[in-house]
Amino acid sequence: MSAADAAGAAARGLLPPLGASPPVERVAAEERAAALGRRSLKRAAKVAGLRLAVRCMDLTTLEGADTPARVAALCRKAIAPGGAASDVPSVAAVCVYPSLVGAARRALAGSAVRVASVAAGFPSGLTPLATRVDEARRAVDAGADEIDMVIDRGAFLAGEQERVGDEIELVKEACGAARLKVILETGELGTFSNVRRASDVALHAGADFLKTSTGKIQPAATPGVSLVLLEAIRDFYFRTGRRVGMKPAGGIRTARQALHHLVLVKETLGDAWLDPELYRLGASTLLDDVLLQLEKERTGAYGSLEYLPAD
Amino acid sequence: MLKLIEGGGASQDRRSGERRLEFGDRWPYEPSPEAIDRAGLRDRWDAFIDGRFVPPAEGGYAADLCPATAEPFAAVAESTAADVDSAVAAARRAFEGAWGRLAPLERGKHLFRLARAVQERARELAVLETLDSGKPIQASRDFDLPLVASHLFHHAGWADKLEWAFHGRTPRPLGVAAQVMPWNFPLLMAAWKIAPALACGNTVVLKPAETTPLSALRLAEIASEVGFPPGVVNVVPGGPSVGAALVTHRGVDQVAFTGSTEVGKVIRRAVAGSGKRLLLELGGPSAHLVFADAPLDQAVEGVIAGAFFHQGQVCCAGARLLVEESVHDVFVAKLRDRMETLRVGDPLDKNTDLGPVGSAAQLARVRELVASAEAEGAARYSVARELPARGWYVAPTLFTGVALAHRIAREEIFGPVLAVLTFRTDTEAVRKANATSSGLAAGVWTSHPGRLLELARGLEAGVVWANSYHRFDPTSPFGGCKESGLGREGGRQGLAAYVRLEEDA
């Protein structure tokens, strides 16, 4: 798009005015996020936080080696993470590739655990638009309750923000009743101000959740970048009255990191977001560490992964 | 098509009754207090003179009160002129004796060992500081103690390199430095003063604030333990009369004071004509400027830190917020949301953001200023929070509709109270920021680099922080303009207060 075209589009209200999103000072944002990592969470507060982390978890497997049997095992773990006899709550969702949505749907039948699917050209978001939209629709038809799509970062960085927004709208339309999580892939956006801008584009295009990363690119869900998304969600809520969810994903492996992310949302968006309807933690290996920590709080002694149900 | 953002941006935020954030108890944090048995408390604290604790020659003991409970938790010697005499005499002997004869490199090693010892005992010192001053443990642990150590390390390095700080001239020590401390950063200010004084070869008699004497006494004890010769670091606790006896003592060569502008003026008059070198670090309300193009969410953090860090009891607290009119409403709304998340309570709790103010007198002063602002017509917003029943607590408070003529815009508040004013142009911002007799610090939040450079020139302040606030580093000189002080502390410039240059002699 030429500069003249861009000016014309802006005049018609199609383009967000340049600078409409507030700039973000990276050093200060990261400092604030790091400070929230120093909250001291002991005993009951720690247990409650860890149980919340489980309830908000999108238990994820996105590997070439995934099989229907492996997904079924993961689903059993999602329903009863600590084993049948444990009081550990179910996770929020199981997140798989579209080809395994059916397997997950069957394995989760009768439970409240949702099926989420990465779709729309994951993880690059660079396949033809029609293919992406179609893929999302098929995943929903196969039984996905939630779709995780990634934006075209190339288009965003080239300044074609309206195209990014339009594509999100089209995928959202294809999702029907399924909820749409928009992955910004913050590790490829260059600056925190860009992350904020991309957040605003996704929010206005109808995202149900903002999600930091695919997990395939580093850095992923750093506390700093997560804070930027949370602040965008907060401003959007005040502007529109709509509560959009948040999903940090990628690199969250320890219970301690999960608690840090929960503190970020608690002290930025408040109580309403401390709920799986509005908050998710995307993770593949986090659950085991959370279970170990819960067991340690229960018994006073650290356990071993060997005693946890294998997936 | 994308129905994006008409007008857009944070300035379009609408806040109404039904759109609000709840910072409640859905996931409460448990109390997480630091154990006080780590503080190495003792019942009685004497003056530290000539390498040991010495009971007062004439005076008795005063109760030291804990701001969190308003109850006594230690008895501290009330020094008198007689104790000051012996401390100055000990410092003189050390200057002319063991310390003065030490090679500069060895002086540096002593400071280095002290820095290491402070790091090793950081937790003990942090708890002691919090008990005595009411400072939240997260501040003493993550701000004060790391800075104390870094100032000692920094100056350890200077001890044998002073010639490089003063090109072509030879720096010589002055002799005995008399150092009078404030109560807001008892240990940090002691380190700021002791470190350069000792690095430059002087000896020290330090008078801690009456309400917060413990950490400086412990620091002197640690210095002795790591091998400082007796008399190099002396500490005489007590009230204003001890401070007066010290700064006017004829055996003193240099006076350094951090505290109120009022007392600073008294000291300056008292040492006039005496030949004593003088270093003053005083106060005054600093201005914090937020422009419409600023990274607003980070500016909120900066303004919150500027106004509420250590309950606002900071000489360079950004107690006067100047915000560009077009973003005033949204910025104040953001500030109020953020204030709701501030955790006020037991300073020993690791999750406490705001503790009590330092003394009953300070509490009375803050309340009086808050009442004056209400009487003068400013609109008050205080966080609705149940404050602890005991102790000297003030709820974080914000005033909008403040005019330059109001007392809270002119006087130093030294409490968790923020006064909000507006401006429309850069010129108006600078004029309002400079409209006080003080000039210690200022903060500017903008995305416009040219404006930052211009404002840094235009603002009458010793420090101008750009898109940040309350940043300290031992390499960076700190000090005031106008009535906010005389001289600099820290960095190469900070050494000047503690040396005589040979051509001066």
Side-chain angles (χ1 to χ4, degrees):
Chain A
M1 180 184 284
S2 73
D5 285 349
R12 292 194 303 276
L14 302 178
L15 258 180
L18 205 64
S21 293
V24 180
E25 171 69 41
R26 182 182 58 80
V27 173
E30 286 184 333
E31 206 166 73
R32 165 68 178 154
L36 288 173
R38 292 193 286 272
R39 288 297 188 206
S40 173
L41 300 166
K42 300 275 194 275
R43 300 173 295 277
K46 183 174 174 186
V47 171
L50 292 175
R51 291 177 66 93
L52 180 60
V54 173
R55 286 175 51 223
C56 291
M57 202 174 295
D58 279 5
L59 196 56
T60 303
T61 183
L62 297 172
E63 286 169 31
D66 289 344
T67 63
R70 275 185 68 164
V71 167
L74 193 69
C75 290
R76 284 193 290 278
K77 188 165 178 174
I79 295 167
S86 144
D87 71 338
V88 176
S90 300
V91 304
V94 170
C95 184
V96 294
Y97 272 119
S99 59
L100 291 160
V101 166
R105 182 80 275 164
R106 284 189 295 280
L108 292 171
S111 81
V113 179
R114 308 248 174 89
V115 178
S117 176
V118 293
F122 185 90
S124 71
L126 291 175
T127 54
L129 178 59
T131 319
R132 277 183 272 158
V133 173
D134 188 52
E135 189 189 2
R137 184 176 293 118
R138 283 165 187 267
V140 174
D141 290 346
D145 304 301
E146 303 172 350
I147 296 296
D148 290 31
M149 73 164 282
V150 58
I151 64 165
D152 180 346
R153 286 85 57 216
F156 177 86
L157 292 171
E160 299 175 45
Q161 296 166 12
E162 80 285 5
R163 197 179 106 198
V164 173
D166 290 348
E167 292 182 359
I168 295 170
E169 285 196 350
L170 287 171
V171 175
K172 168 74 180 163
E173 213 176 292
C175 284
R179 299 213 288 168
L180 178 64
K181 304 185 194 119
V182 176
I183 305 169
L184 307 178
E185 197 66 297
T186 52
E188 291 187 335
L189 292 182
T191 68
F192 273 34
S193 291
N194 278 348
V195 170
R196 171 63 196 235
R197 187 82 198 104
S199 300
D200 286 344
V201 168
L203 287 164
H204 283 87
D208 296 303
F209 277 82
L210 293 188
K211 177 173 170 184
T212 56
S213 320
T214 59
K216 306 291 184 192
I217 295 285
Q218 289 297 323
T222 63
V225 92
S226 299
L227 179 64
V228 176
L229 268 60
L230 292 168
E231 287 168 345
I233 290 170
R234 180 179 62 193
D235 289 348
F236 184 75
Y237 165 65
F238 278 117
R239 199 175 306 150
T240 65
R242 203 172 139 237
R243 291 193 175 96
V244 173
M246 166 73 183
K247 178 178 174 183
I252 306 171
R253 296 190 185 88
T254 65
R256 191 186 168 84
Q257 286 175 292
L259 290 173
H260 186 174
H261 278 280
L262 286 172
V263 168
L264 283 168
V265 69
K266 172 181 161 69
E267 300 207 22
T268 310
L269 294 172
D271 285 9
W273 270 263
L274 294 174
D275 188 289
E277 288 305 302
L278 286 172
Y279 193 75
R280 297 292 174 82
L281 285 158
S284 49
T285 56
L286 167 66
L287 182 58
D288 285 342
D289 193 49
V290 171
L291 291 174
L292 282 180
Q293 292 293 330
L294 278 170
E295 190 65 6
K296 187 243 168 188
E297 289 299 311
R298 196 175 66 81
T299 64
Y302 278 103
S304 158
L305 281 177
E306 289 176 30
Y307 298 104
L308 292 175
D311 47 323
Chain B
M1 260 299 150
L2 192 59
K3 301 164 289 295
L4 261 192
I5 313 177
E6 289 154 19
S11 61
Q12 294 302 305
D13 287 359
R14 281 186 296 111
R15 310 239 164 176
S16 58
E18 70 273 17
R19 289 179 198 171
R20 53 198 298 266
L21 304 175
E22 293 287 342
F23 296 102
D25 278 339
R26 190 160 186 180
W27 175 36
Y29 303 148
E30 293 272 290
S32 184
E34 187 67 79
I36 46 176
D37 53 10
R38 297 184 193 281
L41 282 177
R42 51 172 148 248
D43 295 336
R44 224 185 58 178
W45 296 73
D46 285 311
F48 196 86
I49 297 171
D50 211 11
R52 62 200 177 86
F53 284 107
V54 182
E58 295 160 2
Y61 291 85
D64 188 14
L65 304 183
C66 179
T69 60
E71 281 174 7
F73 74 113
V76 181
E78 288 182 299
S79 309
T80 61
D83 303 303
V84 170
D85 274 343
S86 49
V88 172
R92 176 64 57 191
R93 281 195 300 278
F95 179 68
E96 287 169 359
W99 186 247
R101 281 196 299 268
L102 221 50
L105 178 64
E106 296 303 316
R107 287 205 307 265
K109 286 184 188 169
H110 278 77
L111 276 167
F112 187 80
R113 281 197 293 271
L114 181 58
R116 288 290 302 271
V118 163
Q119 281 187 319
E120 282 160 16
R121 295 171 70 170
R123 179 173 264 176
E124 165 197 342
L125 287 163
V127 175
L128 189 64
E129 191 78 331
T130 287
L131 277 171
D132 206 11
S133 70
K135 184 191 298 287
I137 188 74
Q138 55 169 259
S140 356
R141 181 193 63 193
D142 299 338
F143 180 86
D144 295 58
L145 262 298
L147 267 179
V148 167
S150 67
H151 269 267
L152 292 166
F153 277 123
H154 175 81
H155 287 95
W158 270 124
D160 62 341
K161 302 171 193 72
L162 294 170
E163 278 83 358
W164 279 267
F166 304 97
H167 295 290
R169 291 175 290 179
T170 308
R172 303 282 186 209
L174 298 168
V176 176
Q179 311 194 307
V180 180
M181 298 296 115
W183 48 263
N184 54 351
F185 293 88
L187 187 62
L188 181 58
M189 290 303 107
W192 277 29
K193 302 250 180 309
I194 288 176
L198 299 185
C200 294
N202 306 282
T203 57
V204 165
V205 180
L206 186 139
K207 205 288 281 182
E210 192 171 11
T211 55
T212 55
L214 303 190
S215 55
L217 287 165
R218 176 62 43 86
L219 183 67
E221 187 185 16
I222 294 174
S224 182
E225 285 169 13
V226 301
F228 276 83
V232 177
V233 179
N234 309 275
V235 178
V236 283
S241 62
V242 186
L246 180 58
V247 300
T248 55
H249 198 285
R250 298 176 67 88
V252 159
D253 302 290
Q254 193 259 14
V255 172
F257 170 73
T258 294
S260 71
T261 303
E262 188 189 349
V263 174
K265 288 178 179 178
V266 172
I267 290 178
R268 190 161 186 183
R269 279 193 287 270
V271 302
S274 68
K276 291 171 192 168
R277 293 281 289 275
L278 184 61
L279 175 68
L280 297 173
E281 205 266 89
L282 312 174
S286 295
H288 211 151
L289 281 59
V290 175
F291 287 83
D293 69 348
L296 285 187
D297 288 312
Q298 289 71 54
V300 165
E301 291 307 318
V303 170
I304 291 284
F308 300 128
F309 179 59
H310 192 24
Q311 295 79 254
Q313 303 169 117
V314 185
C315 53
C316 48
R320 279 192 305 148
L321 171 64
L322 291 161
V323 58
E324 191 166 342
E325 199 177 283
S326 61
V327 289
H328 171 272
D329 292 355
V330 68
F331 196 72
V332 168
K334 281 173 178 284
L335 278 177
R336 287 168 57 149
D337 280 338
R338 179 68 176 84
M339 283 166 69
E340 289 296 329
T341 69
L342 291 171
R343 305 173 69 85
V344 186
D346 177 6
L348 282 168
D349 192 314
K350 291 171 216 157
N351 291 326
T352 290
D353 299 315
L354 260 77
V357 297
S359 64
Q362 192 55 30
L363 180 65
R365 172 166 167 75
V366 174
R367 284 180 174 164
E368 193 270 323
L369 264 170
V370 166
S372 84
E374 285 187 299
E376 287 176 319
R380 173 180 174 176
Y381 171 78
S382 287
V383 174
R385 196 69 50 80
E386 201 172 314
L387 299 176
R390 299 187 305 167
W392 302 310
Y393 288 92
V394 182
T397 295
L398 171 151
F399 279 101
T400 49
V402 176
L404 276 182
H406 290 168
R407 279 181 61 204
I408 46 165
R410 286 180 292 122
E411 295 182 23
E412 187 165 41
I413 303 168
F414 243 59
V417 180
L418 175 65
V420 184
L421 298 87
T422 59
F423 65 87
R424 288 183 176 176
T425 65
D426 294 28
T427 316
E428 185 186 358
V430 171
R431 182 178 60 76
K432 284 185 166 171
N434 288 343
T436 62
S437 54
S438 58
L440 190 50
V444 181
W445 292 83
T446 177
S447 296
H448 193 324
R451 170 186 283 148
L452 273 176
L453 294 173
E454 242 176 67
L455 262 67
R457 267 205 305 264
L459 290 167
E460 296 165 350
V463 184
V464 178
W465 282 298
N467 291 345
S468 61
Y469 207 83
H470 280 338
R471 309 295 299 228
F472 299 91
D473 191 284
T475 61
S476 173
F478 182 85
C481 296
K482 300 199 278 192
E483 287 190 6
S484 289
L486 184 70
R488 291 291 181 266
E489 298 188 281
R492 186 172 61 79
Q493 294 85 343
L495 300 169
Y498 294 97
V499 293
R500 169 174 63 81
L501 298 176
E502 195 124 81
E503 66 185 25
D504 293 347

